[in-house]
């Protein structure tokens, strides 16, 4: 993997070790439709005759269409830079028919794709006109036609990534908010184009914090947790990988469920490029963060999400890709080191923070609770708050059972536990589970409620054991 994606300035779509973005999206819906759009040229003569476009725009667009080679197109653009910008902006702004707007945007996107330095035509024109380069383009993102909106999005990304002026302020926030909305749109047929635009944008470090601030990482993780094919998994994981090159962002990524989501995909994926980008992301999260405690927590979270087991299975395959094999070996070594000194409390914390609770031995260990219950007050009762949050939002019956059980054990072993639980509205969260559909959840909620209210634990245990569901009597 390269040390970093390309930085500010003109950007190539080719990153060493990573397939070209344009090659991998050649079969996206937008690209397939664009082929038909190119074949249906508007009748510019009728536009001219009806005075819908001026003579200068007619002359330029027909001359550009008539150019037979890249060299001819470049020569024309060199001679008529200002007219090029003026014509495209006029056509985008004034042509009403969607079919013809589609054509103009595809012509423009193709022009910039052929040579990214051509974006300067529009920056130079905007400076001369003392206008915003973004205004005529961003307004097009409000159109109803899906092709128009996404083709314009592709143009905006090229302008933002390859020009002498970076997008910033309200323009950047508007564009990122648009991309974020596109990620969240149900059954978005153009989502690969949205991901492609983000891939381009997030290569530039200047854009990463702005995307983080609008909760962009959360939107990527949500999209990855939805219905995705391997191509979209690759593209969105690529976006997260780009974010990890900024150390201050990399150290925060674990908060968004990145490790759990990518770990799940990694355990199921058979596509080498998906595996490669996820492992490169995990490596950056360990290698580029200076805070040793965060690195340790991230490594433990990876172990909790079965990444180490997946790596061990991969190591037997021996991939031909030398960099991939190196990442497997690097991560295997780091994750193995992280578990060597792992105490039962460390293991417990990692499990709780992952949100993926199961009946691991520590939950039922009297020794664990006696020795560690005082630590539940650390970091302003972080673990207690997480357990209560899990009770409020989790759907998995197993997770709810374990969380309710742990709330009860905390109260049982910590003298002021009741007050702490009530302070953070934990009692109400447990009470709500008394009416849960799952009988095991109801049982563990009842047990936790009783522990919040009763002091005679030995008597309580005998009473509850008589009422326990059959599959709980042995385990509790």
């Amino acid at each position: 993997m390269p040390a970093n994606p390309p930085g500010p300035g003109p950007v190539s779509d080719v990153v060493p070790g990573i397939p070209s973005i344009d090659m991998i999206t050649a079969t996206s819906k937008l690209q397939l439709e664009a082929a038909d759009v190119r074949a249906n040229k508007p009748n510019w003569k009728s536009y001219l005759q009806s005075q819908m476009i001026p003579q200068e725009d007619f002359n330029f667009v027909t001359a550009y269409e008539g150019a037979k080679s890249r060299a001819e197109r470049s020569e024309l653009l060199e001679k008529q830079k200002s007219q090029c910008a003026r014509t495209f902006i006029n056509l985008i702004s004034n042509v009403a028919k969607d079919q013809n707007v589609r054509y103009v945007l595809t012509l423009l996107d193709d022009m910039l794709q052929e040579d990214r330095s051509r974006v300067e035509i529009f920056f130079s024109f905007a400076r001369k006109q003392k206008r915003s380069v973004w205004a005529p383009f961003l307004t097009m993102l409000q159109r109803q036609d899906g092709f128009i909106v996404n083709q314009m999005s592709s143009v905006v990304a090229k302008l933002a990534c390859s020009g002498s002026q970076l997008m910033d302020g309200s323009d950047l926030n508007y564009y990122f908010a648009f991309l974020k909305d596109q990620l969240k749109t149900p059954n978005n047929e153009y989502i690969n184009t949205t991901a492609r635009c983000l891939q381009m944008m997030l290569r530039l470090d200047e854009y990463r914090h702005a995307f983080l601030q609008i909760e962009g990482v959360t939107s990527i993780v949500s999209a990855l947790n939805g219905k995705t094919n391997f191509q979209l998994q690759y593209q969105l994981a690529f976006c997260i990988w780009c974010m990890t090159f900024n150390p201050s962002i990399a150290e925060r990524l674990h908060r968004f469920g990145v490790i759990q989501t990518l770990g799940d995909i990694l355990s199921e994926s058979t596509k080498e490029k998906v595996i490669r980008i996820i492992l490169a992301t995990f490596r950056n999260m360990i290698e580029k963060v200076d805070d040793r405690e965060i690195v340790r927590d991230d490594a433990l979270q990876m172990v909790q999400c079965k990444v180490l087991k997946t790596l061990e299975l991969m190591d037997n395959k021996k991939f031909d890709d030398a960099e991939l094999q190196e990442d497997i070996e690097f991560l295997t070594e780091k994750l193995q080191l992280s578990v060597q000194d792992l105490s039962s409390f460390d293991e417990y914390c990692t499990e709780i923070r992952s949100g993926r609770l199961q009946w691991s031995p520590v939950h039922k260990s009297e020794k664990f609770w006696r020795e560690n219950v005082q630590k539940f007050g650390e970091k302003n009762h972080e673990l207690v708050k997480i357990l209560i949050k899990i009770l409020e939002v989790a759907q998995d019956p197993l997770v709810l059972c374990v969380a309710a059980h742990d709330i009860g054990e905390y109260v049982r072993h910590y003298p002021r536990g009741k007050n702490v639980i009530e302070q953070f509205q934990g009692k109400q969260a447990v009470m709500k589970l008394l009416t849960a559909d799952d009988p095991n959840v109801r049982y563990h909620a009842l047990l936790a409620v009783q522990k919040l209210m009763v002091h005679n634990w030995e008597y309580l245990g005998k009473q509850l054991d008589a009422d326990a569901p059959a599959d709980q009597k042995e385990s509790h």
Side-chain angles (χ1 to χ4, degrees):
M1 284 292 166
N4 201 345
V11 180
S12 163
D13 264 350
V14 180
V15 178
I18 299 292
S20 159
I21 289 178
D22 291 296
M23 288 301 291
I24 63 176
T25 57
T27 55
S28 73
K29 180 176 173 62
L30 189 79
Q31 298 288 342
L32 292 171
E33 288 183 336
D36 292 331
V37 169
R38 292 184 190 98
N40 291 290
K41 292 183 181 179
N43 185 345
W44 297 122
K45 195 148 196 174
S46 70
Y47 271 85
L48 177 65
Q49 290 168 345
S50 58
Q51 298 185 327
M52 294 174 72
I53 62 172
Q55 184 72 50
E56 295 83 3
D57 289 346
F58 173 82
N59 291 346
F60 176 81
V61 73
T62 52
Y64 186 78
E65 286 176 338
K68 304 296 184 189
S69 65
R70 175 173 177 161
E72 282 185 43
R73 287 188 288 273
S74 295
E75 185 180 354
L76 175 66
L77 292 173
E78 187 61 35
K79 291 177 180 175
Q80 299 192 46
K81 288 180 180 178
S82 290
Q83 188 57 54
C84 168
R86 183 179 289 107
T87 296
F88 273 110
I89 291 169
N90 284 346
L91 294 179
I92 288 167
S93 306
N94 300 326
V95 171
K97 194 174 180 183
D98 279 354
Q99 180 182 333
N100 292 339
V101 177
R102 285 178 165 213
Y103 176 83
V104 173
L105 290 178
T106 302
L107 195 68
L108 173 57
D109 193 53
D110 288 346
M111 184 183 90
L112 300 180
Q113 183 58 39
E114 187 172 72
D115 183 348
R116 291 294 178 84
S117 68
R118 292 171 181 170
V119 300
E120 282 304 318
I121 292 171
F122 296 91
F123 285 98
S124 177
F125 181 75
R127 282 193 293 271
K128 288 176 184 174
Q129 298 288 313
K130 296 184 178 177
R131 294 177 182 174
S132 164
V133 70
W134 311 109
F137 300 109
L138 291 178
T139 54
M140 296 293 290
L141 299 178
Q142 299 171 11
R143 296 284 286 254
Q144 297 302 307
D145 183 278
F147 181 92
I148 289 174
V149 165
N150 283 278
Q151 190 66 286
M152 178 50 83
S153 178
S154 179
V155 169
V156 170
K158 290 179 175 69
L159 289 168
C161 294
S162 301
S164 56
Q165 176 189 335
L166 290 171
M167 186 184 270
D168 58 12
S170 58
D171 292 325
L172 180 59
N173 287 336
Y174 179 86
Y175 182 51
F176 270 151
F178 162 80
L179 292 175
K180 185 179 163 186
D181 286 343
Q182 292 296 301
L183 282 182
K184 294 192 294 184
T185 301
N187 304 313
N188 180 2
E189 295 179 302
Y190 296 97
I191 194 166
N192 288 99
T193 299
T194 301
R196 176 175 177 262
C197 292
L198 279 171
Q199 283 177 273
M200 286 191 276
M201 295 293 289
L202 296 176
R203 288 162 181 258
L204 275 66
D205 192 52
E206 287 83 350
Y207 293 148
R208 293 171 191 155
H209 274 292
F211 188 65
L212 183 76
Q213 286 166 3
I214 66 159
E215 299 182 352
V217 175
T218 301
S219 64
I220 289 178
V221 171
S222 295
L224 281 168
N225 284 330
K227 188 178 179 182
T228 54
N229 55 32
F230 79 87
Q231 176 58 41
L232 185 59
Q233 287 175 345
Y234 169 78
Q235 289 181 268
L236 294 177
F238 185 106
C239 293
I240 295 175
W241 173 66
C242 286
M243 297 288 277
T244 62
F245 284 96
N246 184 302
S248 68
I249 293 175
E251 68 183 23
R252 286 186 268 176
L253 286 179
H254 63 273
R255 302 177 190 174
F256 305 102
V258 165
I259 293 172
Q260 293 94 321
T261 296
L262 293 184
D264 285 347
I265 293 170
L266 183 68
S267 67
E268 296 173 2
S269 182
T270 57
K271 296 294 180 180
E272 189 168 316
K273 69 178 184 180
V274 175
I275 293 168
R276 181 167 25 132
I277 203 71
I278 291 175
L279 294 186
T281 301
F282 285 163
R283 179 167 185 165
N284 276 0
M285 290 179 73
I286 289 174
E287 206 170 30
K288 295 194 176 295
V289 175
D290 292 328
D291 190 315
R292 292 298 95 193
E293 187 176 339
I294 292 175
V295 170
R296 181 173 173 274
D297 287 348
D298 283 358
L300 292 177
Q301 208 175 111
M302 289 175 198
V303 173
Q304 178 70 30
C305 296
K306 308 294 190 291
V307 174
L308 187 55
K309 289 183 179 178
T310 305
L311 288 169
E312 287 167 358
L313 291 172
M314 285 180 185
D315 199 36
N316 296 327
K317 293 182 183 178
K318 299 296 179 188
F319 292 94
D320 292 333
D321 185 324
E323 288 182 341
L324 173 54
Q325 195 62 40
E326 184 187 329
D327 285 348
I328 290 171
E329 292 166 6
F330 173 89
L331 285 167
T332 299
E333 179 187 348
K334 294 295 182 184
L335 298 193
Q336 284 175 342
L337 283 173
S338 74
V339 298
Q340 280 179 5
D341 300 322
L342 188 62
S343 70
S344 60
F345 185 69
D346 292 329
E347 182 184 341
Y348 180 84
C349 290
T350 304
E351 184 182 331
I352 297 300
R353 287 177 184 138
S354 77
R356 301 186 175 199
L357 279 60
Q358 51 191 313
W359 289 118
S360 52
V362 290
H363 300 281
K364 302 290 184 71
S365 166
E366 286 284 328
K367 183 172 182 286
F368 169 80
W369 288 103
R370 279 198 312 273
E371 293 178 355
N372 295 291
V373 74
Q374 294 286 343
K375 297 177 184 176
F376 279 65
E378 294 174 359
K379 298 183 180 178
N380 194 23
H381 297 93
E382 178 196 15
L383 291 176
V384 176
K385 290 177 182 175
I386 294 174
L387 283 170
I388 293 169
K389 186 69 175 177
I390 288 170
L391 291 180
E392 293 171 343
V393 303
Q395 302 293 321
D396 186 334
L398 173 60
V399 170
L400 290 170
C401 286
V402 179
H405 167 273
D406 286 7
I407 291 286
E409 290 299 275
Y410 169 69
V411 170
R412 183 157 80 92
H413 289 87
Y414 185 59
R416 295 189 295 278
K418 290 182 188 179
N419 295 335
V420 175
I421 295 299
E422 290 187 10
Q423 179 188 343
F424 298 118
Q425 286 76 52
K427 188 174 179 179
Q428 295 94 309
V430 175
M431 297 279 283
K432 284 181 181 177
L433 296 181
L434 292 174
T435 57
D437 292 336
D438 189 283
N440 291 320
V441 174
R442 292 199 302 271
Y443 167 67
H444 283 288
L446 175 61
L447 181 54
V449 168
Q450 296 279 16
K451 288 175 182 176
L452 280 162
M453 301 172 75
V454 181
H455 294 285
N456 190 336
W457 304 119
E458 187 178 351
Y459 171 76
L460 173 63
K462 292 175 182 176
Q463 287 295 107
L464 283 165
D465 193 50
D467 299 328
D471 62 339
Q472 292 294 338
K473 287 185 178 180
E474 290 185 10
S475 64
H476 201 282

